Amino acid sequence: MKKQTTIRFVVHRKRINFGSAELRVVQLIRILEQQLGSRVRIEIEKLPRRRGLGQELWALRQKPGDVIVFAKISLPELRSRVLDILRYRGALTCLDYVDSDLRLVTKRRADVHIAASESALRKMRDLISQAEASGAPVSGQPFLLHHNTDARLAGLKVRPSDSLNAVYFGDIRNTIISASIAKRISVLNIDRADQIEDASKTLPDYNLHYCVRRMVEEEPGDIVAKPFTKGFIAAQMGAPVLINKDVDDAVELLGNDYPFLIADNSETAILDGLDLAEDAYGGPAWQEALSRMAQMRQVFSHEAIARQFGDILDYLT
């Protein structure tokens, strides 16, 4: 039996109630505790404010061998020298970027850099290789930890229907819905975490998840990769997705020949994709899409996420 490891997830003190903390900290911890059992002892801590020496004093109190996971919402507040103090103390550090600027992997002296998607892992490795080739010092190894789905959606399954019913489930600012597209799909707009439970009551009525992403401009120079959470939700429910191929992880996880993968997010491509899905509904191409979604469930199941985190612990301890 492996020795129990103490893990501390560190969050921004004013953002503990944010939706990102609920999913990637609170719910993730539940998964790890259920799957890893006595191997881990997990706590949540609030990162002290930047002003003064609060963070440095906090770092000096950490114990050798403990694993400190800095959640995404703590990264903007984290002083770089805190990681050096933790290294001096013998604590082991992980930075969980989710959809933050990945250029930080070459600047922050952590032991592990956590990628929330296949795309992020690839970009991290490229950035580290480029930095090393230029002679720049780089600290830490990148590891994949797929983003978990919201526990409030667990158990939801698509209800049988004789026709195609497409839905966009998420923040409408992140997608493209013209007047013509709006006639073909329904929208369950979610821009706050507390809206999920109400929307989940009608979500099973839809058998195609519209996951076309508006490719939003990031801050100049930022390198960002988004987790494939919308695809994971659809897969969990047993619904295929209509998605543009430049969405992070779409091709990696579904395959370049996935039936409802469209070339871009132009209105023409989207409407043609909706036509294709409607014509294919219930037929061989539809069944193939469902099969691809079912295969994808293996990469973000609770067991898979726990294995991925276990790989991190094996490396650190």
Side-chain angles (χ1 to χ4, degrees):
M1 180 176 173
K2 294 183 179 180
K3 179 183 176 183
Q4 186 181 64
T5 302
T6 296
I7 302 162
R8 294 189 174 87
F9 278 75
V10 181
V11 300
H12 190 294
R13 61 177 48 251
K14 292 185 178 179
R15 298 178 183 175
I16 184 64
N17 295 319
F18 279 29
S20 56
E22 168 65 24
L23 263 67
R24 193 63 169 176
V25 177
V26 177
Q27 293 190 21
L28 175 58
I29 287 173
R30 291 195 197 114
I31 292 171
L32 299 178
E33 288 176 334
Q34 291 167 1
Q35 298 293 324
L36 298 177
S38 60
R39 184 181 179 187
V40 296
R41 176 178 175 271
I42 308 179
E43 304 170 350
I44 298 176
E45 286 198 16
K46 295 179 181 178
L47 182 68
R49 297 179 179 87
R50 283 179 65 90
R51 66 173 181 266
L53 296 174
Q55 290 190 16
E56 288 82 354
L57 294 173
W58 169 84
L60 285 168
R61 291 194 299 270
Q62 303 309 307
K63 297 178 180 179
D66 285 358
V67 175
I68 313 295
V69 182
F70 290 95
K72 168 197 168 180
I73 56 174
S74 68
L75 296 185
E77 190 76 3
L78 177 65
R79 286 181 168 179
S80 293
R81 60 186 175 186
V82 169
L83 295 172
D84 294 328
I85 294 172
L86 290 169
R87 184 184 297 271
Y88 165 77
R89 287 291 299 152
L92 306 160
T93 56
C94 306
L95 303 185
D96 189 8
Y97 296 84
V98 185
D99 52 6
S100 303
D101 184 4
L102 297 178
R103 293 177 301 170
L104 288 172
V105 301
T106 63
K107 301 173 183 177
R108 290 285 177 91
R109 287 175 50 80
D111 294 295
V112 165
H113 303 283
I114 297 177
S117 66
E118 302 275 0
S119 300
L121 183 65
R122 183 180 67 251
K123 290 178 180 179
M124 282 183 181
R125 287 172 172 165
D126 289 345
L127 286 164
I128 290 171
S129 294
Q130 292 167 16
E132 290 176 338
S134 69
V138 179
S139 173
Q141 291 293 321
F143 278 83
L144 175 65
L145 183 66
H146 272 302
H147 206 294
N148 47 297
T149 56
D150 196 316
R152 290 167 290 187
L153 302 177
L156 295 183
K157 297 297 179 185
V158 172
R159 297 184 182 114
S161 174
D162 294 330
S163 60
L164 183 76
N165 298 303
V167 66
Y168 176 76
F169 179 62
D171 188 338
I172 198 170
R173 293 171 295 185
N174 295 329
T175 191
I176 294 173
I177 301 182
S178 66
S180 297
I181 296 168
K183 295 177 182 177
R184 307 285 298 275
I185 68 171
S186 299
V187 174
L188 294 176
N189 186 44
I190 303 292
D191 55 14
R192 300 194 318 272
D194 60 2
Q195 296 173 314
I196 289 179
E197 291 186 14
D198 285 340
S200 68
K201 296 173 184 176
T202 55
L203 190 58
D205 293 331
Y206 301 98
N207 48 32
L208 177 70
H209 285 214
Y210 178 81
C211 294
V212 173
R213 182 184 289 279
R214 182 188 300 276
M215 308 314 289
V216 180
E217 288 288 331
E218 306 293 343
E219 291 297 320
D222 280 6
I223 297 176
V224 174
K226 306 284 187 179
F228 197 40
T229 48
K230 283 184 173 53
F232 292 171
I233 290 169
Q236 180 176 274
M237 295 185 63
V241 295
L242 178 72
I243 193 164
N244 45 315
K245 68 188 304 179
D246 47 358
V247 169
D248 292 325
D249 277 18
V251 172
E252 284 90 342
L253 295 179
L254 293 172
N256 199 47
D257 59 346
Y258 172 73
F260 308 131
L261 186 71
I262 59 178
D264 54 54
N265 60 8
S266 66
E267 182 182 64
T268 298
I270 292 168
L271 292 174
D272 287 347
L274 288 169
D275 286 340
L276 175 63
E278 190 162 9
D279 292 341
Y281 184 65
W286 185 267
Q287 296 304 320
E288 176 61 24
L290 287 175
S291 176
R292 299 288 180 92
M293 300 301 290
Q295 292 171 26
M296 190 172 68
R297 287 201 295 268
Q298 300 174 17
V299 307
F300 68 91
S301 68
H302 288 186
E303 294 82 4
I305 288 173
R307 283 196 301 271
Q308 292 160 8
F309 195 83
D311 290 342
I312 294 172
L313 293 182
D314 288 342
Y315 170 77
L316 290 173
T317 60

